[in-house]
Amino acid sequence: MDKPEEVKTLYWQNNRLFLLDQRLLPEEVKYRVCETCPEVVSAICEMSVRGAPAIGIAAAYGMAIAALEGEEKGLSGKLLRSFLSDCSNSLFQSRPTAVNLSWALERINQWLEINSGASPEEISNGLKQEADKIFAEDLENNRQIGSYGSELISREASILTHCNAGALATGGYGTALGVIRAAFDQGKKLHVFVDETRPLLQGSRLTAFEMCQEKIPATLVTDNCAGYLMGEGKIDLVIVGADRIAGNGDAANKIGTYSLAVLASYHEIPFYIAAPLSTIDLSISSGKDIIIEERERVEVTQINNHVVAPEQINVFNPAFDVTPAALITAIITEKGIVHQPNREKLKQLFTIRKD
Ligand code: MRU
């Protein structure tokens, strides 16, 4: 059977942003149409669009939409700038952990600063073009990450991944899943174990969906299966994405990642993070400074609107955890692989020029 047509994470058409509503996958492929900046903010908060790079791209297009809204309202000069600054702030606050969000907004705000004399029309065109660039660069970076990362994967490998760091979490191709895709396309014999990733099941709903679409052999497991699999010698390496990597290499990613890194270390299994430079935040010195988003209790007490816990129970629902750099074998970026990451090596990455 032919590969099914690729499902796009997001696209722009007729001045509107179409976001794949990832909450509905794998049952339904449906797009959420955004015509205002608050609609983009809601889509990010409610996780219709999720995954660090995808959130950044959506926010950049959110600003292009805001510029169009401002133009329609007849705003110009200082009033338009203040409207755009409010929009940028509300996008910034939509999710706290993934640094790609503020990174993309900073790029958009820099464009606005450089083009301080631009007319409303020039601003809406300029911001749309900048968002397009951020989108295209992300896709290109992921392919590069895939190409570098595939060098770490032997001709036959059994790989464990957590959450979804695939095409759906990015502008396309994916980071951790990009590495898997690249290795698979090189003819390597792979088997991917997919953690289901409670509470929101990004593994079973999204990564399993991508693996089935790409016809990459994969097996879905519950999150608490990892130790058993490693103990049985069934995992050769772990590869995941990241939401924010601190200057010293500590990396925040979906809750449960840290436990996997500890398990991998005990079993002497390589533990890799794949992420673009836009996920590295040199402004913070360690993972202790990363803000961990806490989400609503209902995500834990219910599965698909079905109650699975008593109403009176206390719930703690952090969306991410931090894996210390010491447990990370290497970080795979579009500028190369950083083995045993530390501040010096990460800083160096930003000085490498593109060919
Ligand atoms: O809460 P989510 O689904 O946005 O969390 C996503 C992750 O943790 C991903 O692993 C991370 O953003 C990397 S995506 C390339």
Side-chain angles (χ1 to χ4, degrees):
M1 222 172 78
D2 288 341
K3 259 192 199 174
E5 212 180 294
E6 197 197 332
V7 177
K8 288 192 172 68
T9 308
L10 73 171
Y11 62 92
W12 178 272
Q13 201 171 61
N14 297 333
N15 289 342
R16 295 186 303 171
L17 178 63
F18 289 72
L19 295 172
L20 177 65
D21 195 341
Q22 299 193 24
R23 298 168 307 171
L24 308 177
L25 283 173
E27 277 187 313
E28 240 183 299
V29 174
K30 198 171 164 190
Y31 288 84
R32 186 163 167 169
V33 188
C34 299
E35 296 182 63
T36 66
C37 182
E39 284 170 353
V40 180
V41 172
S42 302
I44 297 175
C45 291
E46 292 160 19
M47 293 177 62
S48 289
V49 61
R50 36 65 53 199
I55 297 171
I57 298 165
Y61 281 113
M63 287 300 289
I65 287 180
L68 285 167
E69 269 183 279
E71 208 184 328
E72 252 170 50
K73 286 181 205 276
L75 302 178
S76 61
K78 271 192 182 160
L79 283 178
L80 178 59
R81 300 250 161 200
S82 136
F83 174 73
L84 289 175
S85 153
D86 290 347
C87 291
S88 171
N89 288 338
S90 57
L91 283 162
F92 175 76
Q93 281 159 19
S94 57
R95 287 194 78 191
T97 304
V99 69
N100 307 63
L101 178 65
S102 52
W103 173 88
L105 289 169
E106 253 163 48
R107 257 186 70 168
I108 293 288
N109 289 324
Q110 245 168 40
W111 187 96
L112 285 166
E113 229 175 275
I114 293 166
N115 296 279
S116 56
S119 69
E121 198 189 341
E122 283 165 345
I123 291 180
S124 52
N125 288 335
L127 294 196
K128 158 72 170 52
Q129 274 170 23
E130 196 59 25
D132 284 344
K133 270 198 223 162
I134 290 173
F135 191 179
E137 285 168 20
D138 185 64
L139 183 57
E140 196 190 312
N141 289 340
N142 294 339
R143 289 192 185 279
Q144 199 57 58
I145 288 171
S147 160
Y148 281 122
S150 61
E151 292 167 18
L152 297 168
I153 297 184
S154 38
R155 290 165 63 83
E156 265 189 46
S158 174
I159 304 171
L160 178 69
T161 190
H162 190 62
C163 193
N164 172 264
L168 294 168
T170 61
Y173 203 68
T175 55
L177 295 193
V179 172
I180 291 172
R181 272 195 171 92
F184 185 72
D185 288 345
Q186 289 165 4
K188 292 182 178 169
K189 205 168 159 253
L190 306 183
H191 193 93
V192 181
F193 283 95
V194 179
D195 267 357
E196 65 174 352
T197 319
R198 271 286 281 152
L200 293 181
L201 303 172
Q202 287 93 330
S204 64
R205 294 186 307 98
L206 311 175
T207 297
F209 176 81
E210 287 196 39
M211 292 297 96
C212 290
Q213 281 220 319
E214 294 286 315
K215 305 207 180 314
I216 298 176
T219 300
L220 178 64
V221 290
T222 57
D223 295 331
N224 38 13
C225 193
Y228 175 68
L229 283 174
M230 290 185 194
E232 291 290 298
K234 294 225 158 64
I235 304 294
D236 298 316
L237 63 116
V238 180
I239 184 161
V240 295
D243 286 80
R244 190 183 294 247
I245 299 173
N248 68 345
D250 294 350
N253 190 50
K254 181 53 55 195
I255 189 76
T257 303
Y258 171 48
S259 324
L260 289 181
V262 172
L263 279 171
S265 164
Y266 179 80
H267 291 97
E268 296 180 1
I269 294 168
F271 180 90
Y272 298 117
I273 297 263
L277 264 61
S278 54
T279 302
I280 301 175
D281 183 356
L282 292 181
S283 77
I284 53 169
S285 53
S286 87
K288 295 231 177 319
D289 298 328
I290 300 178
I291 297 170
I292 299 295
E293 175 184 11
E294 266 186 55
R295 294 190 59 90
E296 285 182 26
R297 55 176 278 122
V298 73
E299 291 181 354
V300 180
T301 59
Q302 296 188 7
I303 301 180
N304 268 350
N305 298 324
H306 181 78
V307 175
V308 292
E311 182 131 355
Q312 310 88 303
I313 194 72
N314 292 321
V315 171
F316 178 46
N317 184 19
F320 304 97
D321 58 25
V322 176
T323 299
L327 294 178
I328 300 171
T329 311
I331 298 178
I332 307 155
T333 77
E334 71 273 27
K335 295 275 185 77
I337 300 171
V338 180
H339 295 274
Q340 288 154 334
N342 62 26
R343 171 160 278 277
E344 268 324 294
K345 294 180 192 171
L346 290 182
K347 255 172 80 181
Q348 191 111 44
L349 276 180
F350 288 84
T351 64
I352 300 172
R353 285 176 171 276
K354 263 195 183 164
D355 304 328

